[in-house]
Amino acid sequence: MPDQPAHDPFTTTPDGRLSRRRLLAASAGAAAAIGAVGLPVLGTAAPALGAAKGSDPDAGSSGLRAAPLIPPTNRGIILYSVRDRISAAPDDSGVPYGFERVLARLAEIGYKEIEFAGFNQSTEILGRQITPAEIRKILDDNGLVANGCHTSINATSFQQQLDIAETLGMKNIGTGSAPTNSAYKADWDAAADVWNELGRQAKARGMRLYTHNHDAEYSFLLDAGPRDSSGRQTRSSGIRRLEYFFGQTDPRYVFFELDIYWAYVARFKHTKFINANGVEKTSLFDPILNVADRTKRFPLFHAKDGDRRTDLANGYEMTPLGDGDINFQQFFQTIGERHFHHANWEMDTAPGGTENRGQSLDFAAKSYENMADLSIYLQK
């Protein structure tokens, strides 16, 4: 794969925190990078903060209107971020626990969509395990919609998983695991055959099947050069694993949830490969262009933030949304189709343990506020 245009996806400020000025600082660069490869740029970024509202005598004369970059109905959370409170037994901390209390709190914060990471809670709450039908009632009572789940995707249990998803009203069903962990085309071909068939089954039930990435899925295939003792090639043509899978799966049946954090980790980690002739080559991965080239295959995203830390193996340390260096303004503005895309906040390290039982829900509130602050200006 040829080198892609390198635009800087990072913005930094002395305090490392989110501001509209910080989020929008790279928008011009994003527009230039996307325009350079012939992709459309969505709208106009909101102007940087400078004067108080109403202080501009020309305000209202521009023909522009402010619009949320992520529509309110498309703002979600994967419950893995608050798994400590979903699974918690009743306690006297005053912090919500179990599905009923935690989902009510998330709705109060402003979230409209829920991505599930399992369907169990402490049996101490009801004296038994909660049922999918009971979870659905909690969703409905709080004005929440299930937009997906991370579950096990295999032919043996898939219809059972579809039954649960249907009860919860999901339009998407997925997994947090890769279709295969292999570096070889043959294994990705076999996975594509399975996923195409399961995707057909999901579509027949009114759902989309999706897979979620970590960084390894954007490492390079071993598909060129000399073979090892098992007959497998040991070098690369420069094709990335998941990008090969895009082409092997039917876009009518197989979809994707980009974890934005792990995509930028991949950009940091997976930059070099050895070609068929034994020569080291560099190929920069661009998360924005990865989506923009096939934006309708990505109905869901994990809006996960991270501090840029080149001293760490992954290049980042997870943070609440807005406390890190990933430019979500640039990302969501330039991929387009903002009403199609659904953003689920995630932070793997959000739980605070017994020392701070309320931390994950506090981070959820902060992250929602910063997600809601993302905006663009459009023509009236």
Side-chain angles (χ1 to χ4, degrees):
M1 185 174 69
D3 288 0
Q4 295 173 333
H7 63 269
D8 184 5
F10 317 115
T11 56
T12 56
T13 57
D15 64 2
R17 294 180 61 81
L18 176 82
S19 70
R20 285 178 68 196
R21 179 182 290 109
R22 174 172 167 256
L23 282 170
L24 301 172
S27 291
I34 299 300
V37 293
L39 294 168
V41 179
L42 173 65
T44 304
L49 298 178
K53 288 183 179 178
S55 63
D56 181 358
D58 295 322
S61 63
S62 65
L64 299 175
R65 62 178 177 85
L69 191 52
I70 301 172
T73 55
N74 292 17
R75 298 173 196 158
I77 177 174
I78 182 169
L79 295 184
Y80 186 73
S81 303
V82 292
R83 61 193 181 278
D84 58 324
R85 300 316 302 169
I86 292 291
S87 63
D91 60 46
D92 58 2
S93 67
V95 181
Y97 58 84
F99 281 110
E100 183 173 12
R101 292 165 178 80
V102 172
L103 292 184
R105 174 59 184 142
L106 295 175
E108 181 180 58
I109 288 170
Y111 289 102
K112 296 297 184 185
E113 297 195 325
I114 301 295
E115 184 179 24
F116 285 84
F119 309 107
N120 293 334
Q121 64 179 15
S122 171
T123 55
E124 293 182 39
I125 297 174
L126 298 176
R128 56 172 174 79
Q129 194 49 258
I130 195 168
T131 67
E134 289 169 328
I135 297 174
R136 174 61 184 272
K137 184 177 188 305
I138 295 169
L139 290 170
D140 293 345
D141 288 348
N142 287 282
L144 296 169
V145 174
N147 72 9
C149 65
H150 281 194
T151 188
S152 177
I153 300 298
N154 60 73
T156 303
S157 63
F158 193 56
Q159 286 299 321
Q160 180 183 5
Q161 295 299 326
L162 287 173
D163 290 342
I164 295 171
E166 191 172 77
T167 297
L168 292 170
M170 290 180 195
K171 296 302 182 185
N172 307 283
I173 182 170
T175 179
S177 301
T180 173
N181 293 316
S182 173
Y184 304 103
K185 277 186 175 181
D187 296 318
W188 285 92
D189 289 340
D193 289 342
V194 173
W195 277 69
N196 282 331
E197 174 53 33
L198 297 183
R200 289 186 189 94
Q201 295 178 26
K203 185 174 182 180
R205 300 277 292 269
M207 286 173 255
R208 291 178 292 218
L209 174 64
Y210 68 92
T211 184
H212 162 283
N213 67 280
H214 294 87
D215 70 278
E217 289 89 319
Y218 285 111
S219 62
F220 299 100
L221 285 170
L222 296 177
D223 62 342
R227 297 180 183 272
D228 62 18
S229 59
S230 299
R232 291 185 157 181
Q233 291 171 301
T234 56
R235 297 174 184 169
S236 180
S237 67
I239 298 174
R240 296 177 188 271
R241 300 179 188 187
L242 201 59
E243 292 184 333
Y244 177 72
F245 192 67
F246 292 153
Q248 301 307 110
T249 50
D250 192 321
R252 296 173 298 175
Y253 305 131
V254 180
F255 297 84
F256 301 89
E257 174 182 65
L258 189 82
D259 187 302
I260 299 171
Y261 171 91
W262 287 114
Y264 279 102
V265 170
R267 178 181 173 88
F268 172 79
K269 288 175 66 174
H270 305 301
T271 62
K272 298 181 184 299
F273 65 93
I274 305 300
N275 75 4
N277 297 319
V279 178
E280 183 179 88
K281 294 289 187 178
T282 297
S283 177
L284 297 181
F285 174 64
D286 191 316
I288 292 177
L289 297 181
N290 176 71
V291 174
D293 281 344
R294 52 187 71 81
T295 192
K296 282 295 192 80
R297 295 196 78 178
F298 286 87
L300 300 175
F301 294 85
H302 275 181
K304 182 191 299 179
D305 206 350
D307 272 331
R308 188 82 160 89
R309 289 278 305 276
T310 55
D311 59 315
L312 298 179
N314 285 333
Y316 291 87
E317 183 175 27
M318 292 181 193
T319 69
L321 196 156
D323 283 0
D325 296 313
I326 295 175
N327 193 312
F328 293 95
Q329 172 76 34
Q330 181 190 48
F331 185 93
F332 282 107
Q333 181 179 329
T334 49
I335 63 171
E337 300 288 351
R338 65 192 180 94
H339 290 287
F340 175 75
H341 297 131
H342 299 253
N344 292 323
W345 173 67
E346 184 182 37
M347 181 179 171
D348 302 10
T349 57
T354 56
E355 299 266 325
N356 188 354
R357 289 188 174 99
Q359 178 174 283
S360 61
L361 287 170
D362 290 343
F363 284 175
K366 173 191 284 190
S367 297
Y368 179 85
E369 181 179 354
N370 288 332
M371 187 187 295
D373 278 346
L374 296 170
S375 61
I376 55 172
Y377 273 44
L378 301 174
Q379 291 292 332
K380 290 181 180 176

